[in-house]
Amino acid sequence: MNAERDLAPLAPSVVRALNDKLYEKRKAEPKAPWVLSSSLPRLVREFVAQNNTSQIKHVIQILSQEFALSQHPHSRKGGLIGLAACSIALGKDSGLYLKELIEPVLTCFNDADSRLRYYACEALYNIVKVARGSVLPHFNVLFDGLSKLAADPDPNVKSGSELLDRLLKDIVTESNQFDLVGFIPLLRERIYSNNQYARQFIISWILVLESVPDINLLDYLPEILDGLFQILGDNSKEIRKMCEVALGEFLKEIKKNPSSVKFAEMANILVIHCQAADDLIQLTAMCWMREFIQLAGRVMLPYSSGILTAVLPCLSYDDRKKNIKEVANVCNQSLMKLVIPEDDEMDEAKQSMTLPAEPTSEESLSKPEAASSSESLLTCPPCEELDITALNQPLSFPCSSERIQVTLNLDGIVQVLDCHLHDMSIGMMTRIAVLKWLYHLYIKTPRKMFRHTDSLFPILLRTLSDESDEVILKDLEVLAEIASSPAGQTEGHGPSDGSDVRPGPVELHVPARAGQLSSGMKGLECSPSTPTMNSYFYKFMINLLKRFSSERKLLETRGAFIIRQLCLLLNAENIFHSMADILLREEDLKFASTMVHTLNTILLTSSELFQLRNQLKDLKTPESRNLFCCLYRSWCHNPVTTVSLCFLTQNYKHAYDLIQKFGDLEVTVDFLTEVDKLVQLIECPIFTYLRLQLLDVKNNPYLIKALYGLLMLLPQSSAFQLLSHRLQCVPNPELMQTADSTKPSAGFKKASASNIDYTELLQHFEKVQNKHLEARHQRAGRAEQLDRRVVL
């Protein structure tokens, strides 16, 4: 009796019915399965008619506490049935008691008994069906409960939850009172579920909310975008397809309304997923990135370092990932176009960021997993210390028609580019893209880029050893731009020359003025200062020669190619003048001889140096004579190349004098081989003018003597026969007499007007050759000692 008094105003018959374990037998009855009798609904309706809210709440409390939350499963089932019956009886007034009705039902969603969970789902369906729009203030708790049932292992429970889910979606779709702001935090939390059914449930709701015109889910896309991309990698094809559709709908909305999109808040999210291992995620994120760059423009610039970290490796993908590669290439090109000359303004105040006046979303990525993945995925593999998340400033920008001033994060970009150049595992197309970026930045922002030149210089020089000619060409373009840009001209001092820029113990400083390089040498001056030469030009030449010295294979295989390309990109005269001056100080005499031979071959045979050859051929100007003297002093490292230079400049008498000195030199096989090659060169088109001058025997006696001198040096070889046949074609001077033969020749005029001290040059030649002889003897002595040690 006490129990019955405690449960008043419920009649004892109602209490017994609610506790009846045989109720399951009556569950099969169609319609109104919960009406055990008319007592409970009638009682509730009476209280409603009397407006007795306290008694209604008391009845609901009894059904909740004594039955729905009871320890006995039969009582819990009865309580759920009673709450549903109570809601039906309340009708439109059920909205006033929804909290009391819903909470105990949702608690039963966690019950271990699957049948009880099904009854709870059924009860809630009836409560929601009666209340309709009144349940929206309680939407979050309903959604939370449904998201759990969506992953329920029991098929009956799952089926019941789907019915409830459809009902709730209908209510949300037809209502204009949905609280999206309050729902987003829950959605953001639930979207990271790893359960397939829960993910399917989440995506279905996102699609519904996206389809409702009055609900602007796009404003909150930064909150859920990371979770959507994670769901896109689900193992279920159906879920991936649903997620792909949802992302596609969002992207359509972004294209329609770019002015209302928070591009900046989603930039880093896309950067993360552009590096995903899953092809679909990576391709989708890359497509989004392409649209963001094209729609948002310079708003994306602060995130350039992260974007490049994600995009650059994709440029080397093979045909298996052709789609990703193509989209990544568009992203790369579009981002490059955003860098403009105005970014090189030195006044940093003008480049300060313009922040939006409107408040931004509280957070773009609150999920801890997302934050941790951001830190790990944005780190460039070969440079683990590189933190792109720190480089990218997570600031928010409104995308509008107004021009927004943004700061180009040049330090971060250069760090990423440098990191990729150091990574030897990256593909050729990525390396080319990196070098294109560096070249573009030196063109658009030269003053800011030259702050990084000293750190970039070593890796750019190492890149000259790359296996790909295309990479080397792009690398040379960057180096040439560094060496020729007016922004690289330092005032008062040259760039710091450490141990990496000295060819030997003698430290070479960048000249303050081009003409002061070798002022102590008679007849020798540096190249005239031209617009193509800055403070880094000479440093580049020093480092390039040092690289050739340390990598002889590079010199043999790519040396001529590199120098010829540089002659196209820079001033050829400056290149030869500076290299000759540096080689004059070179202590490794064997390398100096090899390098001079390479330079001489390029000078005599390369089409790129046609103008320089013509300039040296006549020696009409002081500049050309200075250049000849500079080249001559270094060419002395190689006797045969010195003679060829004299042939080129038509200094035949001096060539003959040099050949006379060959008798005092140590004639080796290598020496004779070079003489052989010179004979072959004389037969080439480059020396056509020299062969024609053989017709003028009277005015070119030293040319003929010099050629006979070469002939006497050669053994009886094919080159000997070739030169001998040529000299046999020299006509008899008596037969070549003409009326104007008494006039002085142009050659004598040139020689008399040259003002070159050939005696001093010849002495210099002897001095250099004596050094070479001494060096060869030292090398031979060391080799002999080594052989003795091996024998002992």
Side-chain angles (χ1 to χ4, degrees):
M1 294 299 294
N2 292 334
E4 292 180 2
R5 282 197 301 271
D6 292 339
L7 299 180
L10 296 183
S13 58
V14 173
V15 173
R16 286 194 299 271
L18 291 172
N19 285 314
D20 190 356
K21 64 180 179 180
L22 298 178
Y23 170 71
E24 293 177 5
K25 296 180 180 180
R26 296 192 292 274
K27 278 285 293 173
E29 297 179 12
K31 298 182 181 180
W34 10 71
V35 182
L36 301 177
S37 66
S38 60
S39 300
L40 180 58
R42 184 170 58 250
L43 178 65
V44 173
R45 283 195 289 270
E46 288 177 359
F47 289 149
V48 171
Q50 298 169 7
N51 197 24
N52 193 343
T53 58
S54 61
Q55 285 296 335
I56 295 174
K57 288 183 178 180
H58 185 54
V59 170
I60 295 174
Q61 183 180 11
I62 293 173
L63 292 172
S64 300
Q65 299 297 326
E66 302 297 332
F67 291 95
L69 303 179
S70 172
Q71 296 296 321
H72 303 288
H74 302 300
S75 298
R76 292 201 295 275
K77 295 174 186 176
L80 291 170
I81 295 168
L83 288 170
C86 185
S87 176
I88 293 172
L90 286 169
K92 62 179 182 179
D93 291 330
S94 63
L96 300 173
Y97 309 98
L98 278 177
K99 186 175 184 298
E100 292 82 1
L101 290 168
I102 290 174
E103 286 183 355
V105 178
L106 289 175
T107 302
C108 292
F109 278 7
N110 300 318
D111 199 282
D113 188 347
S114 61
R115 291 176 298 176
L116 197 137
R117 294 198 301 275
Y118 175 79
Y119 295 148
C121 189
E122 193 175 30
L124 189 58
Y125 178 89
N126 284 275
I127 295 172
V128 172
K129 186 175 181 180
V130 172
R132 300 296 295 184
S134 299
V135 302
L136 289 179
H138 308 278
F139 178 81
N140 279 13
V141 293
L142 294 174
F143 182 88
D144 184 51
L146 273 176
S147 66
K148 297 173 183 177
L149 289 185
D152 198 285
D154 187 90
N156 291 325
V157 176
K158 194 180 299 180
S159 176
S161 69
E162 289 173 358
L163 289 173
L164 177 57
D165 181 52
R166 285 198 291 270
L167 174 62
L168 202 56
K169 285 174 180 172
D170 291 340
I171 294 172
V172 170
T173 303
E174 66 190 23
S175 173
N176 57 2
Q177 298 178 347
F178 181 70
D179 183 12
L180 183 62
V181 176
F183 172 60
I184 288 297
L186 179 62
L187 179 61
R188 183 179 60 216
E189 177 188 347
R190 287 286 181 262
I191 203 169
Y192 287 100
S193 172
N194 291 322
N195 184 276
Q196 287 189 352
Y197 297 106
R199 284 180 164 184
Q200 191 171 18
F201 172 77
I202 293 291
I203 292 296
S204 67
W205 267 101
I206 290 175
L207 287 169
V208 168
L209 295 176
E210 176 65 16
S211 66
V212 179
D214 294 334
I215 298 177
N216 188 11
L217 194 57
L218 191 60
D219 284 346
Y220 302 93
L221 183 57
E223 307 286 334
I224 61 174
L225 185 61
D226 179 66
L228 282 172
F229 273 106
Q230 294 200 25
I231 293 177
L232 189 61
D234 195 272
N235 294 327
S236 168
K237 291 183 179 180
E238 183 181 356
I239 294 175
R240 289 165 73 99
K241 186 63 178 177
M242 288 178 64
C243 190
E244 199 174 355
V245 170
L247 286 167
E249 291 299 320
F250 276 122
L251 194 56
K252 288 180 184 177
E253 287 296 315
I254 289 172
K255 292 179 181 179
K256 290 180 183 177
N257 306 293
S259 60
S260 61
V261 178
K262 300 173 182 177
F263 290 104
E265 293 185 20
M266 295 182 279
N268 277 335
I269 299 173
L270 293 183
V271 167
I272 294 169
H273 295 290
C274 281
Q275 301 171 80
D278 185 280
D279 288 354
L280 179 59
I281 295 177
Q282 190 176 28
L283 176 60
T284 306
M286 200 67 73
C287 290
W288 275 62
M289 184 67 77
R290 176 190 61 196
E291 299 300 331
F292 272 38
I293 295 172
Q294 293 176 351
L295 293 172
R298 287 177 59 82
V299 169
M300 301 296 288
L301 270 185
Y303 305 89
S304 299
S305 55
I307 296 172
L308 288 175
T309 300
V311 167
L312 288 175
C314 301
L315 301 178
S316 294
Y317 283 173
D318 54 25
D319 289 341
R320 289 173 295 180
K321 295 185 177 183
K322 184 179 179 181
N323 293 337
I324 299 174
K325 178 180 179 179
E326 291 176 350
V327 178
N329 187 53
V330 175
C331 290
N332 183 55
Q333 296 295 329
S334 301
L335 187 64
M336 191 179 293
K337 292 177 182 177
L338 298 180
V339 181
I340 56 178
E342 285 77 1
D343 290 316
D344 201 31
E345 293 295 329
M346 300 306 290
D347 186 3
E348 300 296 339
K350 294 180 181 179
Q351 292 286 319
S352 60
M353 193 72 66
T354 303
L355 294 174
E358 300 82 20
T360 61
S361 179
E362 293 180 2
E363 53 184 355
S364 60
L365 266 180
S366 66
K367 188 73 176 177
E369 292 83 355
S372 62
S373 62
S374 171
E375 293 175 2
S376 61
L377 287 173
L378 286 178
T379 301
C380 196
C383 298
E384 296 180 358
E385 71 279 6
L386 179 60
D387 186 359
I388 304 300
T389 308
L391 297 176
N392 288 340
Q393 305 170 14
L395 299 174
S396 176
F397 303 90
C399 182
S400 64
S401 58
E402 300 178 3
R403 183 177 178 83
I404 302 174
Q405 285 189 322
V406 295
T407 300
L408 176 67
N409 186 10
L410 193 62
D411 293 349
I413 294 175
V414 172
Q415 193 175 358
V416 171
L417 297 177
D418 182 63
C419 182
H420 279 80
L421 272 185
H422 277 87
D423 183 7
M424 303 308 296
S425 64
I426 63 172
M428 179 188 73
M429 297 308 298
T430 298
R431 295 197 298 276
I432 291 175
V434 169
L435 293 167
K436 284 182 177 179
W437 259 102
L438 289 173
Y439 181 77
H440 183 73
L441 292 173
Y442 272 109
I443 294 294
K444 297 296 183 181
T445 60
R447 287 183 291 182
K448 288 186 176 180
M449 276 301 294
F450 268 95
R451 301 172 187 172
H452 303 277
T453 298
D454 286 339
S455 62
L456 288 171
F457 216 69
I459 185 60
L460 289 173
L461 286 167
R462 284 200 293 273
T463 306
L464 291 175
S465 303
D466 197 274
E467 297 177 355
S468 167
D469 287 349
E470 293 181 59
V471 173
I472 294 176
L473 282 173
K474 290 299 174 185
D475 190 36
L476 288 173
E477 287 183 15
V478 178
L479 287 166
E481 182 60 29
I482 292 174
S484 62
S485 174
Q489 185 63 52
T490 57
E491 297 180 3
H493 63 281
S496 58
D497 291 326
S499 59
D500 60 327
V501 296
R502 291 198 293 268
V506 180
E507 182 175 0
L508 296 178
H509 296 279
V510 177
R513 215 173 50 71
Q516 298 174 353
L517 214 137
S518 302
S519 58
M521 298 182 181
K522 183 178 180 181
L524 175 60
E525 296 178 11
C526 191
S527 285
S529 181
T530 68
T532 63
M533 186 173 179
N534 65 19
S535 303
Y536 279 92
F537 177 87
Y538 203 70
K539 180 180 181 180
F540 176 30
M541 294 297 106
I542 293 172
N543 280 275
L544 181 59
L545 287 176
K546 185 188 177 189
R547 189 140 195 93
F548 285 150
S549 177
S550 60
E551 277 192 61
R552 297 299 172 87
K553 186 177 180 182
L554 175 64
L555 176 59
E556 294 171 6
T557 58
R558 300 287 180 79
F561 171 73
I562 290 172
I563 294 172
R564 289 176 60 183
Q565 293 302 319
L566 284 176
C567 289
L568 290 174
L569 296 167
L570 296 169
N571 184 284
E573 179 185 349
N574 283 345
I575 291 173
F576 272 77
H577 211 315
S578 59
M579 283 191 171
D581 185 78
I582 296 166
L583 289 171
L584 188 61
R585 296 163 167 80
E586 178 60 55
E587 293 194 346
D588 185 348
L589 298 182
K590 187 175 182 181
F591 165 71
S593 178
T594 304
M595 192 68 220
V596 163
H597 176 74
T598 302
L599 289 172
N600 186 68
T601 304
I602 296 170
L603 177 63
L604 294 179
T605 61
S606 298
S607 59
E608 295 88 351
L609 296 175
F610 175 77
Q611 292 183 350
L612 187 60
R613 283 196 296 272
N614 282 343
Q615 182 181 344
L616 286 168
K617 188 185 298 183
D618 295 327
L619 299 181
K620 292 179 179 178
T621 64
E623 290 80 12
S624 62
R625 291 192 289 273
N626 288 336
L627 177 60
F628 166 72
C629 291
C630 181
L631 295 180
Y632 181 95
R633 290 182 179 278
S634 287
W635 263 228
C636 287
H637 284 295
N638 191 306
V640 180
T641 60
T642 312
V643 171
S644 67
L645 179 64
C646 291
F647 282 162
L648 176 65
T649 57
Q650 303 182 63
N651 284 301
Y652 301 133
K653 182 181 183 306
H654 193 69
Y656 172 71
D657 293 338
L658 286 172
I659 293 173
Q660 290 294 309
K661 296 290 183 183
F662 284 4
D664 301 330
L665 302 180
E666 183 180 5
V667 178
T668 63
V669 175
D670 291 339
F671 176 86
L672 293 176
T673 302
E674 291 193 23
V675 175
D676 189 297
K677 291 179 180 178
L678 177 57
V679 172
Q680 303 291 338
L681 273 175
I682 291 173
E683 296 297 321
C684 291
I686 293 170
F687 281 114
T688 299
Y689 68 92
L690 181 147
R691 298 194 299 274
L692 289 174
Q693 287 174 350
L694 291 174
L695 295 173
D696 190 0
V697 179
K698 183 178 180 180
N699 290 322
N700 295 290
Y702 287 105
L703 170 59
I704 298 173
K705 287 185 176 183
L707 293 177
Y708 269 109
L710 291 178
L711 187 66
M712 294 303 105
L713 289 171
L714 287 170
Q716 298 284 332
S717 61
S718 59
F720 176 90
Q721 298 297 329
L722 186 65
L723 184 56
S724 177
H725 290 160
R726 174 63 65 186
L727 289 172
Q728 288 174 11
C729 297
V730 174
N732 188 327
E734 298 298 330
L735 299 176
M736 300 301 290
Q737 289 286 348
T738 60
D740 58 350
S741 60
T742 58
K743 297 181 181 179
S745 69
F748 282 117
K749 287 182 180 178
K750 177 178 72 66
S752 61
S754 64
N755 297 324
I756 297 175
D757 189 346
Y758 287 102
T759 302
E760 190 272 337
L761 291 179
L762 194 60
Q763 292 173 354
H764 177 76
F765 174 81
E766 293 175 344
K767 181 181 177 181
V768 172
Q769 285 305 309
N770 286 334
K771 288 183 179 179
H772 276 270
L773 181 61
E774 183 180 349
R776 280 196 296 270
H777 288 168
Q778 289 178 354
R779 287 197 298 270
R782 287 195 295 269
E784 186 177 350
Q785 290 178 2
L786 184 61
D787 290 340
R788 289 176 180 174
R789 290 177 184 175
V790 172
V791 171
L792 292 175

